[in-house]
Amino acid sequence: MAEPTAAADGSGGARRANLAPLELHVPEPRYRPGDVVDYSHLEIPPAGRAPRPDETCPASETWPLTLDMIRVLDEDNRAIGPWNPALDAETLRRMLRSMALTRAFDDRMYRGQRQGKTSFYMKCTGEEAISVGCAQALASDDMVFPSYRQQGILISRGYPLVQMVNQIYSNRADPLKGRQLPIMYSARDYGFFSISGNLATQFPQAVGWAMASAIKGDTRIATSFVGEGSSAEGDFHAAMTFAAVYNAPVVLNVVNNQWAISSFSGFAGAERTTFAARATGYGIAGLRVDGNDLLAVYAAMRWAADRARANMGPTLIEYFTYRAEGHSTSDDPNAYRSAREATEWPLGDPITRLKNHLIQLGEWSEERHAAMDLEVADQVKVATKEAEANGILGHGLHHPFHTMFEDVFEELPWHLEEQAAQAIRERQTKWPEWKD
Amino acid sequence: MNMIEAINDALDIMMTRDPNVVILGEDVGYFGGVFRATAGLQKKHGRNRVFDSPINECGIIGAAVGMAAYGLRPVPEIQFADYIYPGLDQLVSEAARMRYRSAGEFTSSITIRSPFGGGIFGGQTHSQSPEAMFTHVAGLKTVIPATPHDAKGLLIAAIEDNDPVIFFEPKRIYNGPFDGYYDKPSRTWKGQPGGLVPQGYYCTPLGKARIVREGSAMTVLAYGTMIHVAEAVLAEKGVDAEIIDLRTLVPLDIETVEKSVEKTGRCLVIHEATRTSGFGAELSALVQERCFYHLEAPVERVTGFDTPYPHSLEWAYFPGPVRIGEAVDRLLKD
């Protein structure tokens, strides 16, 4: 046996001369700022190719689908293959409008942040089909446990835009009383669970909600969303394990938009396999979907929702998409990725693709689309003006002071009563005329 | 009843009264729990309401948060308080903040039961007292019973409470009170006043301390196992102390504490947890701030040492009769 010797370079290990030194692999994205982008390495299967097993199939049967990609809209903007949901034109137009409204809302709120009306905003540009397609495929009373980039679900479900803006401006009409960072909505009546800043925590919570629904013999299901970056959190594993063990009626979704702030998907494990492929290791059905193809998104979520409702248990869906804009208003993507990535993204833009499909069907036109864009922009403008009358961040119109201490507990304990009195005293010291 | 039987009884009563009460945790189902706290409950109430869970504390608490959002009243068990940390994010960032961040749209009516405390040769990971990690979190209530009577009443109150409650069960006194004299034969709850547990439903309100013994020489603030150690030491020393079992750490029964210290002018705080930033620091600061002009001596703290909980040197670590006795002497010196 060779006598181990301490390494001279201070690494502390005993190196054997007859073996190559070990190497740490640190993933590196293909393109950095200024690089020419070439997506030829991406395997984009043709639309219509992926088979559609029955919703009640064993989870293992979905294994090939976790490596493939479900796509419905082809190069000629036709809907083809077994996953074509064959939705009527009216529904397609409604969903197109929801996507356009979501994008218009994002654009205006982004500007609002730049104008100082609020502190923070996050767009979902390029990912609108995921929220809107999923919302359409679910029942309105199924509970969604969203991440911070599913605003399209609230919009699809008809949540008032003005309430969204009130929340973003933290004004006196903010349903969350100015307590939450902008976009961390909560809308129980719309089946939209309170958003948390802590990533992936909502994943096991959705499973718990689904378990509760099963315990009570209900028919409602739960669904939750994480980004591919957050799928690295331990909560993801907890959720998958619990969902599998209890056969929970839940649909767990990974929105793979390639980027977690500045970290490309390789840091969540994308170099080795797909995110959908993780499903079958847990005994869960898995689907991988073109996330910019609204029809594919709808069809996959519908399949998974029907499966859950049939007591066949959970599904994990990966939506392959691209985060077309910065992570948030606090982020500059030009500092870490090529500006050409978004424009050359091979799966295109979800709104353009559905628009072209409707035009191809003879159910839409460029003129109608342009008119709709003006309409939704106006709709957002009206809502924004209405919300601004309730105040913008920093302009003093907010909920009464005492509300800061409420809802920590159901009732205010003595120490919070004392602290509330202190806060009001401090206020009066600064502004003697001040009244709550 | 011993404390395990009292807890089991409380769970049974609440499951019978409220169909939304469900129990989950490692080994709690068929087997009835490693400490037998859930024995017989699955058989009686069904697998839909009492079930075993994967070994994943994040999942246990995370699923409970989701169940509570649905409208259930989950009572998850964490097998040892030492193993609650993987679930900490779900507790601190989620359960504790749910009502606040959603402006009351969603709540977390969860009672997390967990055996805690040392004195059982549990070593580093079966002896910890992490209460201060939870009392520091806005939105959580922390409850620790010292008798079977209170364990049942407080657990019923915790399950009925609409806020998330951390319910720490001092496992050293599951089977009988422990006075810190580890070399003497152990006692059972039989015949002890705290072991008299009424049949049926009753509530011991959260946020209300219990005066274990009235006295005038000093106020002793403690909870859990240390109540029994304090009682024995002060009786042995013949000190007429007023011993207060806090029962609920948050929200604290400040009135009872203030009234007592104003009467006695001296205050001794005892807990098993490590000293630095322990809950005793909060108690000591509150007494100093609110009773300063009544104090005739500095507030004394008797605690575990600032080390991980040792195995072989357990009784050198445990805040036993000698350490408490010295603090009592210091307090009474002038």
Side-chain angles (χ1 to χ4, degrees):
Chain A
M1 208 168 115
E3 193 66 26
T5 51
D9 62 2
S11 61
R15 190 177 294 165
R16 291 174 200 275
N18 60 338
L19 295 175
L22 298 168
E23 291 175 10
L24 180 70
H25 172 67
V26 179
E28 179 62 21
R30 286 173 182 260
Y31 321 112
R32 287 300 194 183
D35 287 350
V36 172
V37 171
D38 174 9
Y39 280 121
S40 58
H41 69 283
L42 278 188
E43 276 183 58
I44 309 291
R49 188 186 77 179
R52 185 186 183 283
D54 191 79
E55 291 93 339
T56 57
C57 74
S60 57
E61 221 172 276
T62 62
W63 169 248
L65 287 168
T66 66
L67 305 172
D68 202 342
M69 196 182 288
I70 296 168
R71 307 184 70 221
V72 173
L73 290 172
D74 74 3
E75 306 294 310
D76 301 321
N77 305 308
R78 292 173 306 168
I80 59 167
W83 288 91
N84 178 11
L87 295 170
D88 61 82
E90 190 48 47
T91 304
L92 293 177
R93 279 191 294 261
R94 198 169 63 242
M95 290 198 281
L96 183 68
R97 189 188 172 90
S98 290
M99 287 202 286
L101 184 55
T102 302
R103 187 166 293 181
F105 185 82
D106 275 0
D107 286 343
R108 187 156 189 113
M109 290 300 103
Y110 187 90
R111 282 206 307 279
Q113 191 277 338
R114 289 298 188 247
Q115 292 163 350
K117 291 174 182 170
T118 188
S119 61
F120 182 74
Y121 192 71
M122 296 177 108
K123 295 172 123 183
C124 67
T125 312
E127 303 173 35
E128 294 90 345
I130 297 162
S131 291
V132 172
C134 289
Q136 181 69 32
L138 293 164
S140 60
D141 55 357
D142 291 333
M143 184 61 86
V144 178
F145 289 74
S147 81
Y148 47 70
R149 235 186 275 281
Q150 276 80 47
Q151 53 264 54
I153 292 176
L154 268 185
I155 287 173
S156 294
R157 285 185 164 177
Y159 186 72
L161 291 185
V162 63
Q163 285 290 74
M164 292 173 79
V165 186
N166 285 333
Q167 196 281 325
I168 290 164
Y169 287 171
S170 282
N171 60 26
R172 66 182 166 192
D174 173 4
L176 306 183
K177 304 185 179 177
R179 292 172 186 157
Q180 272 277 46
L181 198 65
I183 72 155
M184 303 285 184
Y185 313 106
S186 178
R188 189 186 176 98
D189 292 344
Y190 291 77
F192 195 89
F193 187 71
S194 157
I195 297 175
S196 168
N198 293 64
L199 298 176
T201 49
Q202 72 277 10
F203 239 41
Q205 293 166 3
V207 175
W209 198 97
M211 289 167 66
S213 187
I215 286 168
K216 300 304 268 187
D218 198 342
T219 56
R220 292 176 292 166
I221 65 167
T223 186
S224 188
F225 294 81
V226 290
E228 91 287 348
S230 307
S231 74
E233 292 282 6
D235 298 61
F236 177 87
H237 170 67
M240 295 292 281
T241 303
F242 274 62
V245 165
Y246 299 109
N247 199 45
V250 65
V251 185
L252 298 168
N253 304 282
V254 176
V255 180
N256 177 6
N257 67 11
Q258 318 300 322
W259 290 94
I261 308 185
S262 76
S263 302
F264 87 114
S265 57
F267 284 99
E271 289 179 329
R272 307 268 169 160
T273 186
T274 69
F275 293 96
R278 293 178 182 177
T280 40
Y282 290 94
I284 290 176
L287 305 174
R288 187 159 174 266
V289 180
D290 175 349
N292 291 15
D293 177 345
L294 182 132
L295 296 179
V297 169
Y298 172 90
M301 175 53 91
R302 188 63 199 265
W303 185 94
D306 287 348
R307 180 177 176 85
R309 253 184 266 281
N311 276 316
M312 295 307 292
T315 302
L316 178 76
I317 306 178
E318 173 188 352
Y319 304 94
F320 200 73
T321 183
Y322 188 82
R323 195 194 77 209
E325 300 257 0
H327 166 71
S328 72
T329 49
S330 308
D331 179 44
D332 174 15
N334 293 320
Y336 50 79
R337 69 183 190 186
S338 171
R340 297 173 66 175
E341 280 194 24
T343 48
E344 298 194 18
W345 181 244
L347 297 176
D349 179 86
I351 296 179
T352 309
R353 283 174 71 188
L354 188 65
K355 177 186 81 172
N356 291 341
H357 174 57
L358 272 162
I359 292 173
Q360 186 269 335
L361 288 174
E363 294 285 354
W364 197 240
S365 67
E366 292 288 358
E367 294 72 39
R368 288 178 77 180
H369 194 85
M372 178 191 71
D373 274 345
L374 288 176
E375 260 176 57
V376 293
D378 195 53
Q379 192 182 340
V380 173
K381 192 173 158 190
V382 168
T384 310
K385 293 280 173 226
E386 193 184 334
E388 279 178 19
N390 298 319
I392 58 175
L393 182 67
H395 280 214
L397 288 177
H398 46 64
H399 278 273
F401 222 59
H402 194 265
T403 58
M404 176 165 79
F405 298 92
E406 293 164 5
D407 295 327
V408 177
F409 297 100
E410 188 175 32
E411 286 164 17
L412 253 68
W414 65 269
H415 63 285
L416 286 180
E417 287 286 12
E418 284 189 2
Q419 289 167 29
Q422 178 190 346
I424 287 166
R425 209 165 53 238
E426 288 170 3
R427 202 75 176 166
Q428 285 163 342
T429 303
K430 192 164 180 188
W431 292 289
E433 301 304 306
W434 181 79
K435 284 187 185 68
D436 199 7
Chain B
M1 275 188 204
N2 66 29
M3 193 181 279
I4 284 289
E5 290 161 341
I7 287 162
N8 186 272
D9 193 31
L11 293 170
D12 186 24
I13 286 167
M14 287 313 293
M15 294 203 80
T16 306
R17 283 172 70 99
D18 184 348
N20 288 324
V21 173
V22 296
I23 293 173
L24 69 159
E26 295 155 20
D27 305 297
V28 302
Y30 182 87
F31 179 57
V34 295
F35 290 103
R36 317 307 301 145
T38 54
L41 296 179
Q42 185 181 73
K43 193 161 189 228
K44 182 167 174 190
H45 299 283
R47 278 188 303 186
N48 247 12
R49 296 188 59 203
V50 184
F51 47 89
D52 293 312
S53 77
I55 302 174
N56 187 316
E57 290 76 14
C58 161
I60 292 169
I61 298 171
V65 171
M67 290 175 176
Y70 180 95
L72 301 189
R73 281 186 184 275
V75 188
E77 175 183 303
I78 300 297
Q79 203 161 79
F80 287 87
D82 315 61
Y83 302 133
I84 202 166
Y85 309 122
L88 213 55
D89 190 32
Q90 286 288 348
L91 266 174
V92 174
S93 312
E94 302 294 319
R97 312 238 188 286
M98 196 59 69
R99 179 190 297 278
Y100 192 74
R101 79 172 197 226
S102 71
E105 280 197 335
F106 297 97
T107 56
S108 287
S109 307
I110 302 171
T111 303
I112 292 148
R113 291 182 40 248
S114 191
F116 106 129
I120 57 148
F121 279 101
Q124 299 197 11
T125 56
H126 298 80
S127 309
Q128 294 170 34
S129 300
E131 66 272 22
M133 307 197 82
F134 300 96
T135 56
H136 191 55
V137 177
L140 292 181
K141 292 178 175 171
T142 303
V143 176
I144 302 169
T147 66
H149 175 279
D150 281 4
K152 178 174 170 182
L154 288 168
L155 182 54
I156 287 173
I159 294 171
E160 287 189 335
D161 198 277
N162 291 326
D163 292 312
V165 179
I166 309 293
F167 193 87
F168 280 138
E169 302 164 1
K171 57 181 130 28
R172 184 61 182 82
I173 55 172
Y174 266 158
N175 293 314
F178 175 63
D179 59 12
Y181 290 90
Y182 56 90
D183 37 7
K184 287 197 310 200
S186 56
R187 291 179 293 161
T188 67
W189 281 108
K190 212 172 184 160
Q192 303 289 335
L196 290 174
V197 179
Q199 293 295 307
Y201 171 93
Y202 68 92
C203 248
T204 304
L206 306 187
K208 290 269 173 282
R210 171 176 69 106
I211 297 176
V212 179
R213 177 193 190 282
E214 286 190 24
S216 58
M218 68 174 63
T219 297
V220 177
L221 303 179
Y223 44 90
T225 304
M226 300 318 295
I227 290 295
H228 306 284
V229 183
E231 260 191 289
V233 175
L234 289 154
E236 187 189 334
K237 292 183 82 80
V239 176
D240 181 30
E242 180 143 301
I243 300 175
I244 297 177
D245 175 2
L246 296 174
R247 300 202 285 203
T248 305
L249 306 191
V250 176
L252 183 70
D253 184 354
I254 193 70
E255 251 176 77
T256 300
V257 171
E258 276 180 41
K259 224 171 109 188
S260 177
V261 177
E262 281 169 15
K263 179 176 74 177
T264 64
R266 288 176 165 84
C267 182
L268 170 62
V269 175
I270 310 176
H271 61 61
E272 215 183 312
T274 49
R275 185 178 182 87
T276 302
S277 305
F279 191 66
E282 181 65 31
L283 289 171
S284 173
L286 283 170
V287 167
Q288 185 272 135
E289 286 161 7
R290 304 170 88 94
C291 311
F292 184 76
Y293 294 105
H294 295 87
L295 285 177
E296 290 170 43
V299 178
E300 281 282 342
R301 273 187 292 162
V302 174
T303 69
F305 293 127
D306 284 335
T307 68
Y309 207 108
H311 186 240
S312 66
L313 296 177
E314 170 142 64
W315 301 117
Y317 173 93
F318 189 89
V322 173
R323 200 176 309 156
I324 295 172
E326 282 184 0
V328 169
D329 292 344
R330 278 197 301 275
L331 261 176
L332 295 175
K333 206 165 57 192
D334 306 312

